[in-house]
Amino acid sequence: MDKFKRNERLAVMTKILSDAPNRIFTLSFFCEMFGAAKSTVSEDASILAGIMQDFKLGTLETVTGAAGGMRYRPLVQEGEGRAFLEGICEKLRSPGRVLPGGFLYFSDILSDPQLVSGMGKLFAAEYYDANVDFVLTMETKGIPVALMTAEALHVPLIIARRSSKVYEGSAVNINYVSGKGGIETMSLSRRAVREGGSALIVDDFMRGGGTARGMLSLLSEFNVKAVGMCFVLAMEHPAQRFVEGEKALMLLGDIRDGEPSQVRVADWVK
């Protein structure tokens, strides 16, 4: 096997680690790849960790134990998250966003890969140490940001459906009260979720939390604990509130036809 120079090893390690955030790579993995000793790879990892810290690119952590190694976490620096969301709020406050009936158009925000990737990293940073087994969302608008959150946490994404699908096998179905007061159905495949474990709920919008409460009830059917609930946007003063303890990136005030929306960054975002 050809010998690789240190700058070549560092370039390859950076690419592999950044493409798989929060995944643990053993020293042996890189030793076999480069044909190098563990001491050499360990030195490379120390140099790379220092570079990431100096340039504020995230953290490279050493994980001890039999299955230990190293993992990269793309942490958002203080102030960057708020500045990032302020830019989105500015877009959402632009004229013409408020639709007839008191709805806010933000589907273009949820379909922008760069924006949803940034939001996913903000959510993931809050739950790196929560031992999340999977991310749960409700079809369909919340899927992009939920997927980016799952990628940043290196866990699967599981999607609750409004009705069971034949191609997903047997499913658990529940009825829940939506935020508008109607009775709706939510379905989750039995093959998708293991009994026990923990999940992070991620969705696009929360009015009063009716759908979120439905997802909590659905998880309880599998004896799965919800470690948190995250939303891109939430009503700041809903008429009814069905859940507590959620984290919304942005808060939406009362919407009036013909007026710009009142959107602000949530207080917890630094």
Side-chain angles (χ1 to χ4, degrees):
M1 179 180 291
D2 294 336
K3 281 196 132 185
F4 296 93
K5 297 177 181 178
R6 171 156 283 167
N7 60 346
E8 294 174 326
R9 296 197 302 270
L10 291 177
V12 173
M13 289 172 67
T14 301
K15 170 65 174 173
I16 292 174
L17 290 164
S18 60
D19 280 353
N22 211 39
R23 175 182 169 184
I24 298 176
F25 289 90
T26 63
L27 289 178
S28 299
F29 174 85
F30 290 111
C31 289
E32 293 175 6
M33 177 178 290
F34 301 128
K38 283 190 176 182
S39 58
T40 301
V41 173
S42 182
E43 288 179 14
D44 292 344
S46 297
I47 294 171
L48 191 55
I51 293 172
M52 289 183 174
Q53 182 177 359
D54 291 342
F55 286 89
K56 299 180 180 179
L57 300 175
T59 61
L60 183 61
E61 299 182 350
T62 300
V63 182
T64 59
M70 66 187 84
R71 66 183 169 201
Y72 167 70
R73 288 178 170 178
L75 300 179
V76 180
Q77 298 299 318
E78 185 172 343
E80 289 183 359
R82 177 163 288 273
F84 167 72
L85 293 175
E86 286 287 2
I88 299 177
C89 287
E90 190 64 30
K91 292 182 180 181
L92 294 177
R93 287 192 289 261
S94 63
R97 286 271 178 184
V98 177
L99 303 174
F103 296 96
L104 179 67
Y105 177 77
F106 70 116
S107 294
D108 58 330
I109 303 296
L110 298 175
S111 59
D112 187 312
Q114 186 175 3
L115 296 182
V116 294
S117 177
M119 290 186 283
K121 290 175 183 177
L122 285 172
F123 285 145
E126 297 295 308
Y127 295 96
Y128 275 136
D129 297 319
N131 296 318
V132 177
D133 292 314
F134 65 91
V135 171
L136 176 68
T137 193
M138 182 71 181
E139 63 177 3
T140 55
K141 286 173 64 179
I143 292 175
V145 69
L147 180 61
M148 293 297 101
T149 306
E151 180 185 41
L153 289 169
H154 192 62
V155 297
L157 169 66
I158 295 177
I159 302 169
R161 306 289 184 183
R162 301 191 186 281
S163 61
S164 57
K165 307 295 182 182
V166 175
Y167 53 77
E168 292 190 336
S170 63
V172 173
N173 296 277
I174 65 165
N175 294 323
Y176 69 99
V177 180
S178 70
K180 298 179 181 179
I183 303 297
E184 298 189 18
T185 302
M186 188 179 297
S187 175
L188 192 57
S189 171
R190 293 184 183 276
R191 293 174 180 265
V193 182
R194 293 182 180 179
E195 292 284 335
S198 59
L200 176 63
I201 292 173
V202 178
D203 210 352
D204 63 314
F205 181 69
M206 189 187 86
R207 184 177 299 274
T211 302
R213 186 172 66 172
M215 285 192 277
L216 289 172
S217 298
L218 196 56
L219 289 175
S220 68
E221 295 292 326
F222 292 89
N223 193 29
V224 171
K225 175 187 176 183
V227 299
M229 296 173 288
C230 297
F231 301 89
V232 174
L233 190 65
M235 291 296 296
E236 187 164 12
H237 304 293
Q240 285 183 294
R241 183 176 291 275
F242 297 103
V243 296
E244 297 289 342
E246 75 283 351
K247 285 183 179 292
L249 294 175
M250 295 168 287
L251 300 175
L252 176 64
D254 295 334
I255 302 180
R256 296 181 177 86
D257 289 348
E259 295 184 13
S261 62
Q262 301 175 24
V263 186
R264 68 178 183 88
V265 180
D267 296 333
W268 66 270
V269 181
K270 303 301 182 184

